[in-house]
Amino acid sequence: MSTSAVQIYFWCILLFANVGISAYLPLERDALLDVKSHLEDPQNFLSNWDESHSPCEFYGVMCDNISGEVTGVSLSNVSLSGTISPSFSVLHQLHTLDLSANSISGIIPAVLTNCRNLQVLNLSVNSLAGQLPDLSSLLKLQILDLSTNNFSGAFPVWISKLSGLTELGLGENNFDESDVPENIGLLKNLTWLFLGQCNLRGELPASVFDLESLGTLDFSRNQMTGVFPKAISKLHNLWKIELYQNNLTGEIPPELAHLTLLSEFDVSQNQLTGVLPKEIVRLKKLKVFHIYRNNFHGELPEGLGDLHFLESFSTYENQFSGKFPANLGRFSPLNAIDISENFFSGEFPKFLCQNNKLQFLLALSNNFSGEFPSSYTSCKTLERFRVSQNQFNGSIPYGMWGLPNVVIIDVANNGFIGGISSDIGISATLSQLLVQDNNFSGELPKELGNLSQLQKLDASNNRFSGQIPTQIGNLKQLSYLHLEHNSMEASIPAEIGLCNSLAELNLADNSLSGQIPDTIGSLVMLNSLNLSHNMISGEFPEELQSLKLSYVDFSHNNLSGPVPLQLLMIAGDDAFSENSDLCVSDTSEGWRQSGTGLPPCQWKDNHYNFSRRRLFAVLIIVSSLVVLLSSLACLRYENNRLEVFNRKQDTESGDDSDPKWIIKSFCPPEVNQSAPLPLPRVT
């Protein structure tokens, strides 16, 4: 063929191609514009979807390089809402439709089955609803992900006809309760199967274990029953098993160790039992191992400490006992561990934060003893540190109080001694500080005032002393403050009234004195107030009457004066017992309705005034009697003196002198009998 003939042939092909392109462009552009009209696009990702642009220039649209036909629409996670337009069915060459992670609602149009070339259909993580249309005619589908929507109706048994599927996601929908279709085993090419939380029940069908290409098996959050299947060991390509939150029973079989690619294993929240097979340590690629909330017992295999990739380890709420594997975390980038609510004993493992990755350390409710290892002082990555309800003693290692990223420090219910270090001020992200039921002592550091995010502080049942730091008023987020059963002294700081989120305040069983600060009346969120068993004196501030309390206790103090009737109605007499001189400040009718044994203050005032008048009268009478008796005594003395003088005169006038009659004169100053008696002074 000559050069000119070749050129003519080329131009003819190009001409017909352009004719084809020109024929498709208006039709597909109109279809896509209709798609846009059904959607809300608050972030304007579809702003260039208009008639001035070719469909191939539209955001998220892909076209064939030769024909110009639309082959893909990918609009994942762009904040779209609205519905799916039936106009997608016009795009006959559409290979990919991905609208995942938006807020699209409505149904899947049945005409979508006209897109016979679809290979990828991903509508996951939306708000789609209704019954699924039969999509079994889309025989070219390789990826079908409709998970995390609100689909209902019968579970789609037609999926077994889509033999080309490699990925299938129908989980997190509201299908009718049903068994897993037996014919699911026909999907021989599946590598990813997500059927979690879609109301499946019964045992896993045997055909599932014929899916030898499967890498992910997820039947979590259903009502699956039966024993843990040994046949799962046939799926040699499995790297992820998610069977948590079901009703599986039996033991984990040693055959699980045949799955040498297994990286993530989660069978938590079932009814599994027995001991862990020692063969499990052969799973050298394990990253996630979750078996919490089951009935496992015995000791953990020591070889778990030799795993090199372990990131998350959770065994809480089982019955494991004995010593914990000493080396766990030593060779792996451990990020999270939760071994709470078991019966582990002995020393606490030292290497959980060896690689400085650990964020979550949860070991509460066990029997660990001894001192807490000092190796954790450099674990600055910790966010949740909970070792409460064990048998630890000694001091918290230096540096553990000052964790820059920590949200919870929970060391309650142990035998720790020492104090809270001033380093606590470094833990600026702390929201909960729980140190109750230990033997801590010393003063609460003023650096607690730096914890602007603190919501809960419980230091009760210790031996803390000194004053409550005034800096506590800086804690605007604090809602729970318990310092009861300590040896706190001095008065309650007025600054506590600045903690305007405070809902519970308990300062009972200390040695607090002074008056109740009136600033407590500004704590509008306060629901519970306990100041009992202290040495607080004075009267109740009027400001307390504005609080909406459901619990109060002021007993065993030195309080006096009127008790607000509102507080009395909440708590009864017991909340005010063992105080100095309390009464009820209200009308007599309100007093009778309250049923209290405390007298109205009006009675106490009348009784007090009467007592004063009676005392005054008695003092006047007694004083008068004293003056009268004194006067009589002086008169009698004067008479005796005159009689002696007369006798002396008689003696001196005789011949003989008698020394016994020689009397030295003595008499108090004469009393003017005519002067009025002095009145006694009454104070």
Side-chain angles (χ1 to χ4, degrees):
M1 186 180 293
S2 63
T3 303
S4 59
V6 172
Q7 291 175 340
I8 292 172
Y9 176 75
F10 171 77
W11 286 111
C12 287
I13 292 176
L14 186 60
L15 176 63
F16 284 114
N18 287 333
V19 170
I21 292 173
S22 62
Y24 279 116
L25 282 176
L27 186 62
E28 295 192 330
R29 180 171 57 230
D30 291 345
L32 290 173
L33 291 178
D34 185 69
V35 167
K36 178 182 178 181
S37 71
H38 283 72
L39 297 171
E40 297 292 332
D41 178 29
Q43 297 188 21
N44 292 319
F45 282 98
L46 309 182
S47 59
N48 71 338
W49 283 38
D50 56 40
E51 293 185 353
S52 66
H53 291 86
S54 164
C56 300
E57 297 175 326
F58 288 3
Y59 176 85
V61 174
M62 295 163 286
C63 294
D64 184 88
N65 291 332
I66 297 177
S67 68
E69 293 177 277
V70 174
T71 59
V73 177
S74 295
L75 297 172
S76 176
N77 194 26
V78 290
S79 303
L80 297 176
S81 59
T83 60
I84 298 175
S85 169
S87 296
F88 274 116
S89 62
V90 174
L91 308 176
H92 295 293
Q93 295 303 316
L94 194 64
H95 294 168
T96 299
L97 177 56
D98 186 354
L99 302 177
S100 61
N102 285 291
S103 300
I104 299 171
S105 56
I107 63 172
I108 297 177
V111 294
L112 198 62
T113 56
N114 292 338
C115 301
R116 298 297 178 89
N117 289 302
L118 263 182
Q119 299 175 19
V120 176
L121 177 58
N122 190 347
L123 304 177
S124 63
V125 195
N126 277 288
S127 300
L128 297 166
Q131 189 163 348
L132 288 178
D134 188 342
L135 303 177
S136 61
S137 61
L138 301 177
L139 297 177
K140 294 185 180 181
L141 271 180
Q142 298 176 18
I143 297 175
L144 175 62
D145 191 355
L146 306 177
S147 60
T148 318
N149 279 286
N150 297 312
F151 293 120
S152 58
F155 187 85
V157 296
W158 45 258
I159 56 174
S160 61
K161 298 178 182 179
L162 301 174
S163 58
L165 282 179
T166 60
E167 298 183 17
L168 174 61
L170 297 173
E172 296 181 356
N173 280 293
N174 299 320
F175 298 120
D176 296 341
E177 188 174 306
S178 63
D179 294 336
V180 181
E182 180 66 37
N183 56 12
I184 197 171
L186 298 176
L187 304 177
K188 301 293 186 182
N189 297 312
L190 277 184
T191 61
W192 182 74
L193 178 60
F194 174 39
L195 298 181
Q197 196 178 344
C198 52
N199 283 327
L200 294 173
R201 67 189 178 198
E203 297 186 16
L204 286 173
S207 65
V208 168
F209 307 116
D210 295 329
L211 304 176
E212 295 184 358
S213 297
L214 207 57
T216 294
L217 174 68
D218 191 338
F219 282 91
S220 62
R221 295 162 294 166
N222 283 294
Q223 294 89 46
M224 309 304 299
T225 57
V227 298
F228 188 92
K230 291 183 180 181
I232 203 169
S233 61
K234 295 167 57 178
L235 306 179
H236 294 289
N237 290 300
L238 274 181
W239 66 273
K240 185 174 185 178
I241 296 176
E242 301 282 355
L243 296 175
Y244 63 91
Q245 203 169 328
N246 279 287
N247 296 310
L248 298 174
T249 58
E251 301 182 3
I252 294 178
E255 289 82 359
L256 186 71
H258 296 164
L259 305 179
T260 56
L261 299 179
L262 195 60
S263 175
E264 298 182 22
F265 181 69
D266 192 343
V267 293
S268 54
Q269 300 184 72
N270 278 282
Q271 300 172 31
L272 299 170
T273 187
V275 298
L276 289 185
K278 61 181 182 301
E279 291 83 358
I280 207 165
V281 300
R282 299 177 190 170
L283 301 174
K284 300 297 185 182
K285 295 189 177 181
L286 268 182
K287 290 184 178 179
V288 175
F289 187 71
H290 291 176
I291 57 173
Y292 59 87
R293 287 185 178 165
N294 278 288
N295 297 307
F296 295 113
H297 61 270
E299 295 190 17
L300 294 177
E302 183 66 27
L304 288 173
D306 298 327
L307 298 178
H308 283 235
F309 300 99
L310 194 62
E311 297 176 1
S312 182
F313 185 83
S314 182
T315 65
Y316 71 87
E317 289 188 35
N318 278 285
Q319 300 173 39
F320 289 114
S321 59
K323 293 185 177 180
F324 192 80
N327 284 331
L328 199 139
R330 188 171 194 173
F331 308 110
S332 62
L334 196 62
N335 173 268
I337 182 168
D338 191 345
I339 54 177
S340 305
E341 297 184 62
N342 282 283
F343 300 98
F344 293 118
S345 58
E347 294 183 353
F348 194 76
K350 301 178 181 179
F351 302 112
L352 300 179
C353 195
Q354 181 71 16
N355 293 287
N356 295 315
K357 301 287 186 182
L358 193 63
Q359 294 177 280
F360 305 99
L361 173 53
L362 310 173
L364 54 144
S365 298
N366 278 285
N367 295 318
F368 289 114
S369 59
E371 296 189 4
F372 194 79
S374 60
S375 56
Y376 291 92
T377 58
S378 60
C379 194
K380 305 304 182 184
T381 54
L382 271 181
E383 296 179 12
R384 297 171 70 89
F385 172 46
R386 305 195 66 185
V387 294
S388 59
Q389 299 180 61
N390 280 281
Q391 299 173 27
F392 291 115
N393 54 42
S395 300
I396 298 290
Y398 179 80
M400 289 297 294
W401 295 113
L403 300 172
N405 300 304
V406 73
V407 176
I408 296 179
I409 293 179
D410 179 8
V411 296
N413 297 92
N414 281 287
F416 288 119
I417 60 174
I420 299 177
S421 166
S422 60
D423 287 350
I424 193 69
I426 298 173
S427 303
T429 58
L430 192 64
S431 68
Q432 294 187 42
L433 178 58
L434 310 176
V435 299
Q436 70 270 21
D437 296 291
N438 279 285
N439 293 312
F440 289 119
S441 58
E443 297 188 3
L444 293 176
K446 64 180 185 301
E447 286 78 8
L448 287 170
N450 298 342
L451 308 180
S452 60
Q453 304 301 312
L454 194 64
Q455 299 176 21
K456 187 173 183 179
L457 171 57
D458 193 339
S460 59
N461 296 297
N462 280 285
R463 293 184 291 175
F464 289 113
S465 58
Q467 300 182 15
I468 299 173
T470 58
Q471 290 81 1
I472 207 163
N474 299 335
L475 307 181
K476 308 302 182 185
Q477 304 298 319
L478 190 66
S479 63
Y480 183 101
L481 177 59
H482 278 235
L483 301 178
E484 69 268 21
H485 299 288
N486 279 287
S487 301
M488 307 300 297
E489 301 168 342
S491 59
I492 302 171
E495 288 82 358
I496 206 165
L498 300 175
C499 303
N500 47 28
S501 297
L502 205 58
E504 286 191 36
L505 176 59
N506 193 335
L507 305 179
D509 286 279
N510 280 284
S511 299
L512 298 170
S513 57
Q515 297 184 340
I516 300 173
D518 55 11
T519 55
I520 290 182
S522 63
L523 299 174
V524 295
M525 303 295 291
L526 196 63
N527 182 61
S528 176
L529 176 62
N530 191 344
L531 303 180
S532 64
H533 292 86
N534 279 287
M535 298 182 290
I536 301 171
S537 59
E539 297 188 356
F540 290 94
E542 292 183 4
E543 290 80 0
L544 293 185
Q545 299 184 57
S546 63
L547 297 177
K548 307 299 182 183
L549 296 166
S550 63
Y551 176 83
V552 293
D553 192 350
F554 299 98
S555 62
H556 296 269
N557 277 288
N558 299 318
L559 294 166
S560 60
V563 176
L565 184 61
Q566 180 183 0
L567 297 181
L568 189 62
M569 297 290 282
I570 292 171
D573 286 2
D574 288 346
F576 302 92
S577 63
E578 302 299 326
N579 276 285
S580 301
D581 195 11
L582 294 178
C583 57
V584 180
S585 177
D586 202 84
T587 64
S588 59
E589 181 65 25
W591 170 76
R592 283 194 294 269
Q593 291 179 357
S594 71
T596 179
L598 296 173
C601 295
Q602 183 179 1
W603 288 12
K604 293 183 73 68
D605 291 343
N606 291 340
H607 175 72
Y608 178 66
N609 291 333
F610 172 75
S611 297
R612 289 191 62 184
R613 289 195 298 270
R614 184 170 61 182
L615 177 62
F616 184 74
V618 168
L619 287 175
I620 290 177
I621 293 172
V622 170
S623 299
S624 300
L625 288 174
V626 168
V627 171
L628 179 61
L629 292 174
S630 298
S631 300
L632 292 173
C634 285
L635 287 173
R636 184 177 180 180
Y637 177 81
E638 181 64 16
N639 290 332
N640 290 338
R641 187 181 69 82
L642 291 174
E643 183 179 353
V644 171
F645 177 78
N646 291 332
R647 286 179 180 177
K648 180 179 179 182
Q649 293 295 327
D650 293 340
T651 304
E652 290 178 349
S653 62
D655 297 333
D656 300 324
S657 62
D658 188 353
K660 66 181 180 181
W661 295 110
I662 301 175
I663 303 173
K664 292 184 179 179
S665 176
F666 174 79
C667 183
E670 293 186 357
V671 178
N672 187 352
Q673 300 295 327
S674 63
L677 294 174
L679 292 176
R681 181 184 179 191
V682 180
T683 57

